[in-house]
Amino acid sequence: MSPLEGKRVAITGAAGGIGTPVARMLREAGAYVIGIDRTECNACDSSIVTDLSDDTQLAALAERLSGECPDVLVNIAGVMRFGLHEDQPIEALALCYRVNLLVPAVLARAVAAPMRVRGSGQIVNIGSVLGSIPYPWFAAYSSSKAGLAALSQSLRRELMGTGVAVTHINPRAARTAFNNSEVNRFLEVTGMKADAPEWVAARIVAAVAARRETVSIGAMERIYAALNAISPKLIDNGLAGQIRKARAEFC
């Protein structure tokens, strides 16, 4: 029997390009899936339609999840910002940090106590390899995802020994509508790989089922992330060619 059989799983961003296949695969594994998004989530058993950018609606969602605590919370909802940091509108930066970091923090806060009290649960945060290998032209996105990695580690250590697992997953770029035309052009110019959404979703669901702690998708990405943590200058030099190409295209 699947370890997800009969589990109640709440997913933010469940109507998106990654959230939809994740929701479907979780249901196939026997979970009851509650989709959280701005629209109905057709791949889910039930939906909570809400706007995570609204303070009142976020507070109401947090209260609901605290009172009707799921077995698993999966934070997938995200906002991408691409371009020179100096050109980013303040409100766009605020939204990026809010959805990518504040929202997961608020929702994790809502479920952590009830999960700890009952002695079981799992909080899953979907980050990005750009959080461990911060990229130019993605300064806000990379830093928000780096913050999510720190949040996940802190929560895991807080909840250690309570029966509550914290899983942090770093996918590479995926071929979804999350990427606008400029991002797709950046991937093309720099030769960065973009994965099929179904392939990414399968690895997310496998990590959730196994209650993994940290998962980074891509062998070379894991190597680059380790090198960046030890010696960022090596990665500076390694990215120099990509940066020259991107400057020629986007500056």
Side-chain angles (χ1 to χ4, degrees):
M1 185 176 73
S2 166
L4 294 168
E5 185 73 37
K7 300 289 187 182
R8 293 177 68 256
V9 182
I11 309 177
T12 69
I18 296 296
T20 295
V22 166
R24 177 175 52 76
M25 292 177 191
L26 286 169
R27 289 183 72 194
E28 290 170 354
Y32 180 91
V33 179
I34 305 157
I36 301 167
D37 215 313
R38 288 177 295 178
T39 61
E40 293 282 338
C41 308
N42 295 329
C44 302
D45 294 289
S46 63
S47 295
I48 299 174
V49 177
T50 191
D51 184 354
L52 297 175
S53 69
D54 181 88
D55 285 342
T56 302
Q57 293 186 53
L58 177 59
L61 174 63
E63 184 175 2
R64 179 169 177 176
L65 291 180
S66 181
E68 304 170 9
C69 187
D71 297 294
V72 183
L73 168 68
V74 184
N75 287 305
I76 296 180
V79 169
M80 172 75 78
R81 292 304 306 172
F82 173 80
L84 290 174
H85 192 66
E86 65 200 54
D87 295 334
Q88 301 300 314
I90 292 174
E91 61 273 16
L93 293 176
L95 181 64
C96 181
Y97 287 111
R98 177 191 178 91
V99 177
N100 294 352
L101 183 54
L102 177 64
V103 167
V106 168
L107 299 185
R109 172 184 177 274
V111 301
M115 285 183 177
R116 179 173 48 77
V117 168
R118 77 182 178 210
S120 67
Q122 186 176 12
I123 299 168
V124 181
N125 292 324
I126 306 303
S128 168
V129 295
L130 297 187
S132 50
I133 313 169
Y135 249 74
W137 285 272
F138 294 90
Y141 183 75
S142 288
S143 55
S144 66
K145 291 299 188 178
L148 187 61
L151 172 69
S152 301
Q153 288 188 14
S154 298
L155 286 173
R156 178 172 55 79
R157 290 165 181 160
E158 277 188 22
L159 295 167
M160 193 179 299
T162 66
V164 182
V166 178
T167 298
H168 178 239
I169 303 169
N170 289 321
R172 300 180 290 204
R175 296 192 294 272
T176 72
F178 191 65
N179 304 326
N180 62 23
S181 60
E182 283 193 317
V183 172
N184 286 327
R185 179 60 180 156
F186 182 90
L187 296 176
E188 180 183 351
V189 167
T190 58
M192 291 175 67
K193 183 177 178 60
D195 296 314
E198 298 278 330
W199 188 85
V200 176
R203 277 145 188 81
I204 290 173
V205 172
V208 174
R211 292 168 68 87
R212 297 275 301 277
E213 290 183 355
T214 304
V215 176
S216 293
I217 297 175
M220 291 307 298
E221 285 78 5
R222 289 193 291 272
I223 293 171
Y224 293 152
L227 287 173
N228 190 70
I230 296 168
S231 180
K233 191 64 179 177
L234 285 176
I235 301 303
D236 290 348
N237 295 335
L239 293 180
Q242 289 184 337
I243 291 171
R244 283 194 298 271
K245 292 177 182 178
R247 281 182 178 154
E249 183 81 16
F250 298 105
C251 291

mmCIF file of all heavy atoms in Angstrom, residues 20-43:
data_model
loop_
_atom_site.group_PDB
_atom_site.id
_atom_site.type_symbol
_atom_site.label_atom_id
_atom_site.label_comp_id
_atom_site.label_asym_id
_atom_site.label_seq_id
_atom_site.Cartn_x
_atom_site.Cartn_y
_atom_site.Cartn_z
ATOM 1 N N THR A 20 -0.690 20.804 -11.037
ATOM 2 C CA THR A 20 -1.713 19.919 -11.599
ATOM 3 C C THR A 20 -1.239 18.475 -11.689
ATOM 4 O O THR A 20 -1.927 17.569 -11.205
ATOM 5 C CB THR A 20 -2.178 20.436 -12.973
ATOM 6 O OG1 THR A 20 -2.844 21.702 -12.788
ATOM 7 C CG2 THR A 20 -3.144 19.466 -13.623
ATOM 8 N N PRO A 21 -0.069 18.189 -12.303
ATOM 9 C CA PRO A 21 0.368 16.780 -12.326
ATOM 10 C C PRO A 21 0.723 16.240 -10.943
ATOM 11 O O PRO A 21 0.533 15.048 -10.680
ATOM 12 C CB PRO A 21 1.577 16.779 -13.266
ATOM 13 C CG PRO A 21 2.035 18.190 -13.338
ATOM 14 C CD PRO A 21 0.811 19.027 -13.142
ATOM 15 N N VAL A 22 1.224 17.101 -10.048
ATOM 16 C CA VAL A 22 1.498 16.642 -8.681
ATOM 17 C C VAL A 22 0.196 16.201 -8.011
ATOM 18 O O VAL A 22 0.124 15.136 -7.387
ATOM 19 C CB VAL A 22 2.198 17.742 -7.856
ATOM 20 C CG1 VAL A 22 2.178 17.396 -6.362
ATOM 21 C CG2 VAL A 22 3.633 17.922 -8.320
ATOM 22 N N ALA A 23 -0.849 17.024 -8.144
ATOM 23 C CA ALA A 23 -2.145 16.686 -7.549
ATOM 24 C C ALA A 23 -2.677 15.369 -8.116
ATOM 25 O O ALA A 23 -3.155 14.499 -7.372
ATOM 26 C CB ALA A 23 -3.142 17.806 -7.806
ATOM 27 N N ARG A 24 -2.593 15.221 -9.427
ATOM 28 C CA ARG A 24 -3.108 13.993 -10.051
ATOM 29 C C ARG A 24 -2.350 12.763 -9.560
ATOM 30 O O ARG A 24 -2.952 11.734 -9.232
ATOM 31 C CB ARG A 24 -2.993 14.110 -11.572
ATOM 32 C CG ARG A 24 -3.437 12.842 -12.316
ATOM 33 C CD ARG A 24 -3.421 13.033 -13.813
ATOM 34 N NE ARG A 24 -2.163 13.552 -14.306
ATOM 35 C CZ ARG A 24 -1.060 12.826 -14.440
ATOM 36 N NH1 ARG A 24 -1.050 11.547 -14.099
ATOM 37 N NH2 ARG A 24 0.050 13.363 -14.904
ATOM 38 N N MET A 25 -1.021 12.865 -9.480
ATOM 39 C CA MET A 25 -0.208 11.723 -9.044
ATOM 40 C C MET A 25 -0.430 11.399 -7.569
ATOM 41 O O MET A 25 -0.405 10.229 -7.167
ATOM 42 C CB MET A 25 1.272 11.987 -9.311
ATOM 43 C CG MET A 25 1.617 12.025 -10.781
ATOM 44 S SD MET A 25 3.363 12.424 -11.066
ATOM 45 C CE MET A 25 3.359 12.713 -12.838
ATOM 46 N N LEU A 26 -0.646 12.424 -6.758
ATOM 47 C CA LEU A 26 -0.950 12.173 -5.349
ATOM 48 C C LEU A 26 -2.281 11.439 -5.206
ATOM 49 O O LEU A 26 -2.407 10.514 -4.387
ATOM 50 C CB LEU A 26 -0.989 13.490 -4.577
ATOM 51 C CG LEU A 26 0.365 14.156 -4.298
ATOM 52 C CD1 LEU A 26 0.163 15.562 -3.776
ATOM 53 C CD2 LEU A 26 1.180 13.333 -3.311
ATOM 54 N N ARG A 27 -3.262 11.835 -6.003
ATOM 55 C CA ARG A 27 -4.556 11.137 -5.973
ATOM 56 C C ARG A 27 -4.392 9.700 -6.429
ATOM 57 O O ARG A 27 -4.999 8.771 -5.861
ATOM 58 C CB ARG A 27 -5.562 11.859 -6.867
ATOM 59 C CG ARG A 27 -6.025 13.198 -6.321
ATOM 60 C CD ARG A 27 -7.069 13.825 -7.202
ATOM 61 N NE ARG A 27 -8.349 13.114 -7.108
ATOM 62 C CZ ARG A 27 -9.357 13.278 -7.950
ATOM 63 N NH1 ARG A 27 -9.225 14.104 -8.992
ATOM 64 N NH2 ARG A 27 -10.476 12.628 -7.787
ATOM 65 N N GLU A 28 -3.587 9.476 -7.455
ATOM 66 C CA GLU A 28 -3.347 8.118 -7.937
ATOM 67 C C GLU A 28 -2.671 7.271 -6.864
ATOM 68 O O GLU A 28 -2.834 6.041 -6.840
ATOM 69 C CB GLU A 28 -2.490 8.160 -9.199
ATOM 70 C CG GLU A 28 -3.226 8.715 -10.418
ATOM 71 C CD GLU A 28 -2.309 8.975 -11.600
ATOM 72 O OE1 GLU A 28 -1.069 8.830 -11.445
ATOM 73 O OE2 GLU A 28 -2.825 9.337 -12.677
ATOM 74 N N ALA A 29 -1.919 7.935 -5.982
ATOM 75 C CA ALA A 29 -1.258 7.222 -4.877
ATOM 76 C C ALA A 29 -2.180 7.019 -3.684
ATOM 77 O O ALA A 29 -1.756 6.474 -2.657
ATOM 78 C CB ALA A 29 -0.004 7.983 -4.445
ATOM 79 N N GLY A 30 -3.440 7.482 -3.798
ATOM 80 C CA GLY A 30 -4.419 7.236 -2.747
ATOM 81 C C GLY A 30 -4.693 8.392 -1.823
ATOM 82 O O GLY A 30 -5.468 8.258 -0.871
ATOM 83 N N ALA A 31 -4.076 9.557 -2.077
ATOM 84 C CA ALA A 31 -4.293 10.716 -1.205
ATOM 85 C C ALA A 31 -5.580 11.443 -1.570
ATOM 86 O O ALA A 31 -6.054 11.380 -2.713
ATOM 87 C CB ALA A 31 -3.112 11.669 -1.305
ATOM 88 N N TYR A 32 -6.151 12.131 -0.593
ATOM 89 C CA TYR A 32 -7.258 13.065 -0.825
ATOM 90 C C TYR A 32 -6.627 14.436 -0.953
ATOM 91 O O TYR A 32 -6.006 14.932 -0.012
ATOM 92 C CB TYR A 32 -8.261 13.035 0.329
ATOM 93 C CG TYR A 32 -9.429 13.987 0.129
ATOM 94 C CD1 TYR A 32 -10.593 13.551 -0.492
ATOM 95 C CD2 TYR A 32 -9.351 15.319 0.544
ATOM 96 C CE1 TYR A 32 -11.664 14.435 -0.689
ATOM 97 C CE2 TYR A 32 -10.405 16.200 0.346
ATOM 98 C CZ TYR A 32 -11.558 15.746 -0.274
ATOM 99 O OH TYR A 32 -12.604 16.609 -0.483
ATOM 100 N N VAL A 33 -6.767 15.059 -2.122
ATOM 101 C CA VAL A 33 -6.012 16.268 -2.432
ATOM 102 C C VAL A 33 -6.911 17.504 -2.399
ATOM 103 O O VAL A 33 -7.944 17.556 -3.077
ATOM 104 C CB VAL A 33 -5.330 16.145 -3.809
ATOM 105 C CG1 VAL A 33 -4.552 17.423 -4.130
ATOM 106 C CG2 VAL A 33 -4.391 14.942 -3.828
ATOM 107 N N ILE A 34 -6.474 18.488 -1.621
ATOM 108 C CA ILE A 34 -7.172 19.773 -1.499
ATOM 109 C C ILE A 34 -6.339 20.810 -2.238
ATOM 110 O O ILE A 34 -5.214 21.133 -1.832
ATOM 111 C CB ILE A 34 -7.318 20.179 -0.020
ATOM 112 C CG1 ILE A 34 -8.010 19.075 0.767
ATOM 113 C CG2 ILE A 34 -8.079 21.501 0.102
ATOM 114 C CD1 ILE A 34 -7.711 19.110 2.257
ATOM 115 N N GLY A 35 -6.859 21.321 -3.341
ATOM 116 C CA GLY A 35 -6.135 22.297 -4.139
ATOM 117 C C GLY A 35 -6.378 23.714 -3.655
ATOM 118 O O GLY A 35 -7.510 24.089 -3.355
ATOM 119 N N ILE A 36 -5.313 24.497 -3.580
ATOM 120 C CA ILE A 36 -5.402 25.897 -3.153
ATOM 121 C C ILE A 36 -4.842 26.762 -4.278
ATOM 122 O O ILE A 36 -3.657 26.662 -4.626
ATOM 123 C CB ILE A 36 -4.594 26.139 -1.864
ATOM 124 C CG1 ILE A 36 -5.112 25.240 -0.731
ATOM 125 C CG2 ILE A 36 -4.645 27.601 -1.457
ATOM 126 C CD1 ILE A 36 -4.190 25.188 0.472
ATOM 127 N N ASP A 37 -5.703 27.577 -4.876
ATOM 128 C CA ASP A 37 -5.267 28.408 -5.994
ATOM 129 C C ASP A 37 -6.303 29.502 -6.228
ATOM 130 O O ASP A 37 -7.330 29.541 -5.548
ATOM 131 C CB ASP A 37 -5.061 27.568 -7.260
ATOM 132 C CG ASP A 37 -3.904 28.080 -8.118
ATOM 133 O OD1 ASP A 37 -3.845 29.309 -8.352
ATOM 134 O OD2 ASP A 37 -3.071 27.254 -8.554
ATOM 135 N N ARG A 38 -6.041 30.342 -7.219
ATOM 136 C CA ARG A 38 -6.982 31.408 -7.540
ATOM 137 C C ARG A 38 -8.162 30.908 -8.367
ATOM 138 O O ARG A 38 -9.131 31.640 -8.565
ATOM 139 C CB ARG A 38 -6.264 32.536 -8.290
ATOM 140 C CG ARG A 38 -5.336 33.346 -7.402
ATOM 141 C CD ARG A 38 -4.592 34.404 -8.184
ATOM 142 N NE ARG A 38 -3.681 33.796 -9.148
ATOM 143 C CZ ARG A 38 -2.929 34.496 -9.995
ATOM 144 N NH1 ARG A 38 -2.985 35.821 -10.007
ATOM 145 N NH2 ARG A 38 -2.120 33.883 -10.834
ATOM 146 N N THR A 39 -8.057 29.683 -8.867
ATOM 147 C CA THR A 39 -9.143 29.072 -9.629
ATOM 148 C C THR A 39 -9.383 27.656 -9.113
ATOM 149 O O THR A 39 -8.570 27.108 -8.370
ATOM 150 C CB THR A 39 -8.805 28.990 -11.129
ATOM 151 O OG1 THR A 39 -7.626 28.175 -11.301
ATOM 152 C CG2 THR A 39 -8.534 30.385 -11.699
ATOM 153 N N GLU A 40 -10.512 27.066 -9.509
ATOM 154 C CA GLU A 40 -10.793 25.682 -9.159
ATOM 155 C C GLU A 40 -9.688 24.771 -9.688
ATOM 156 O O GLU A 40 -9.155 24.993 -10.780
ATOM 157 C CB GLU A 40 -12.134 25.247 -9.751
ATOM 158 C CG GLU A 40 -13.340 25.958 -9.151
ATOM 159 C CD GLU A 40 -13.733 25.403 -7.788
ATOM 160 O OE1 GLU A 40 -13.374 24.247 -7.495
ATOM 161 O OE2 GLU A 40 -14.391 26.136 -7.026
ATOM 162 N N CYS A 41 -9.358 23.762 -8.931
ATOM 163 C CA CYS A 41 -8.286 22.832 -9.303
ATOM 164 C C CYS A 41 -8.922 21.524 -9.770
ATOM 165 O O CYS A 41 -9.333 20.691 -8.940
ATOM 166 C CB CYS A 41 -7.360 22.600 -8.119
ATOM 167 S SG CYS A 41 -6.749 24.133 -7.375
ATOM 168 N N ASN A 42 -8.993 21.352 -11.068
ATOM 169 C CA ASN A 42 -9.715 20.212 -11.621
ATOM 170 C C ASN A 42 -9.075 18.868 -11.298
ATOM 171 O O ASN A 42 -9.744 17.840 -11.312
ATOM 172 C CB ASN A 42 -9.843 20.370 -13.140
ATOM 173 C CG ASN A 42 -10.700 21.561 -13.526
ATOM 174 O OD1 ASN A 42 -11.617 21.922 -12.804
ATOM 175 N ND2 ASN A 42 -10.384 22.192 -14.654
ATOM 176 N N ALA A 43 -7.780 18.863 -11.020
ATOM 177 C CA ALA A 43 -7.091 17.605 -10.728
ATOM 178 C C ALA A 43 -7.232 17.194 -9.264
ATOM 179 O O ALA A 43 -6.752 16.127 -8.882
ATOM 180 C CB ALA A 43 -5.615 17.726 -11.088
#
